[in-house]
Amino acid sequence: MDSGSIFLLLGVLSSFSGAYGCVFTITNNCPHPIWPGTLSGAGTPPLPTTGFLLNSGQSVRIPSTPGWSGRIWGRTGCNFDASGIGKCQTGDCGGRLECDGNGATPPASLFEITVGTGDDKDFYDVSIVDGYNLPLVVVPRGVFGPCNATGCASDLNLGCPKELQVVGGDGGQAGGVVACKSACEAFGLDQYCCSGQFANPTTCHPSIYSSIFKHACPKAYSYAYDDGTSTFTCKAYDYTIVFCPDADGTKKASNETTSNPGIEEPSNGEFIHLVSSSNIRLPFPLAVVLLIVINILF
């Protein structure tokens, strides 16, 4: 295949990604259940689900739309009744299974993203600015090649300073530290919150507490102006979000896919395999067009 054909194929892939957003593949590698939550940014529609149960070893795929922005996080120690009313020990979002526009109650580890439209790149990060409750790693699958993985694979709860600790409950850690507050939440001081006279990058600097987070998780946001080493760009068709990754930052090979209302599953007919080596999945009508293009090029 000549270089012109390669660029044409890449252009087709890029236009599909720009027209249909990306897919978030969420995996629970923790030894206990988690309840992922999603929050859309202003002006962007909610994802097909805003909160659900994900048992240990299970994965789901959630499609997004072009230009979508928002957050995804994991909740622990949750109890909900049949109507979806209840409470989570960490990451709670208004006392409901479906977050419905409510954000995570700190402390919570957050994946944040703005999905690009057209040929525009995505901007993404993992933030522990609002504290930490679960380790997570995010691995994008780029349209044009590899993208930077990011996240916080370390268990910060194990080394959390006593004054930042959230202790108790279940979530797999009965009676132990279940979350680690940010210094801003714990003390409410301007120099920790980057507010007041510290509300700019010149006067707001890393604190001893954010430095502990940064040392353990160098690619994650540790304080408000930590952009330089913590924000990444990519044009991706899939973001694999793994909670409690293995030591090498991956998930277990034996993970199964669960079924949740409003979530696209890998076996669903709307997504089909096109290139098995890179696991690209695209909406069915465009997949047919792309197969025709590939046949012409080859």
Side-chain angles (χ1 to χ4, degrees):
M1 187 166 68
D2 59 32
S3 60
S5 299
I6 292 174
F7 284 118
L8 176 58
L9 178 57
L10 290 175
V12 172
L13 285 171
S14 177
S15 66
F16 285 177
S17 176
Y20 283 86
C22 61
V23 174
F24 302 120
T25 302
I26 305 175
T27 295
N28 178 14
N29 210 45
C30 304
H32 52 80
I34 64 171
W35 289 258
T38 71
L39 174 67
S40 298
T44 62
L47 295 178
T49 178
T50 61
F52 55 95
L53 167 66
L54 196 61
N55 286 313
S56 179
Q58 292 184 322
S59 297
V60 296
R61 283 195 174 102
I62 307 176
S64 70
T65 55
W68 187 84
S69 68
R71 295 174 163 184
I72 298 174
W73 69 96
R75 295 170 286 174
T76 64
C78 301
N79 283 292
F80 297 106
D81 62 23
S83 63
I85 304 298
K87 189 176 181 181
C88 296
Q89 186 177 59
T90 72
D92 192 65
C93 57
R96 303 184 64 90
L97 175 60
E98 290 271 353
C99 294
D100 292 329
N102 294 304
T105 300
S109 316
L110 306 171
F111 169 56
E112 305 174 316
I113 186 170
T114 296
V115 179
T117 58
D119 292 330
D120 295 338
K121 290 184 177 180
D122 311 331
F123 287 79
Y124 60 97
D125 66 78
V126 167
S127 174
I128 48 180
V129 173
D130 293 332
Y132 167 100
N133 68 331
L134 286 170
L136 76 155
V137 165
V138 179
V139 182
R141 297 179 182 180
V143 172
F144 300 109
C147 299
N148 287 311
T150 187
C152 183
S154 300
D155 189 349
L156 298 185
N157 292 333
L158 295 178
C160 183
K162 188 173 180 61
E163 57 270 32
L164 305 184
Q165 293 178 1
V166 177
V167 180
D170 48 22
Q173 302 177 22
V177 178
V178 295
C180 192
K181 296 179 183 178
S182 67
C184 175
E185 182 189 2
F187 308 119
L189 300 177
D190 286 350
Q191 65 261 39
Y192 294 138
C193 299
C194 291
S195 57
Q197 64 177 314
F198 299 94
N200 64 76
T202 301
T203 57
C204 188
H205 303 289
S207 69
I208 186 173
Y209 296 105
S210 66
S211 296
I212 293 172
F213 289 177
K214 193 66 175 179
H215 178 75
C217 301
K219 288 188 175 183
Y221 255 96
S222 59
Y223 78 108
Y225 296 106
D226 195 15
D227 304 64
T229 59
S230 308
T231 300
F232 300 93
T233 62
C234 177
K235 190 66 179 177
Y237 57 88
D238 177 276
Y239 285 86
T240 297
I241 305 165
V242 183
F243 289 95
C244 304
D246 293 338
D248 61 356
T250 62
K251 63 181 179 180
K252 298 173 184 175
S254 60
N255 283 346
E256 61 177 304
T257 300
T258 188
S259 178
N260 288 278
I263 302 176
E264 300 290 351
E265 308 299 344
S267 58
N268 191 299
E270 186 175 350
F271 291 89
I272 63 171
H273 271 298
L274 291 178
V275 185
S276 58
S277 62
S278 58
N279 198 28
I280 296 177
R281 296 175 180 271
L282 297 171
F284 179 76
L286 293 181
V288 173
V289 175
L290 183 56
L291 285 174
I292 294 172
V293 171
I294 292 174
N295 286 333
I296 294 173
L297 297 177
F298 286 92

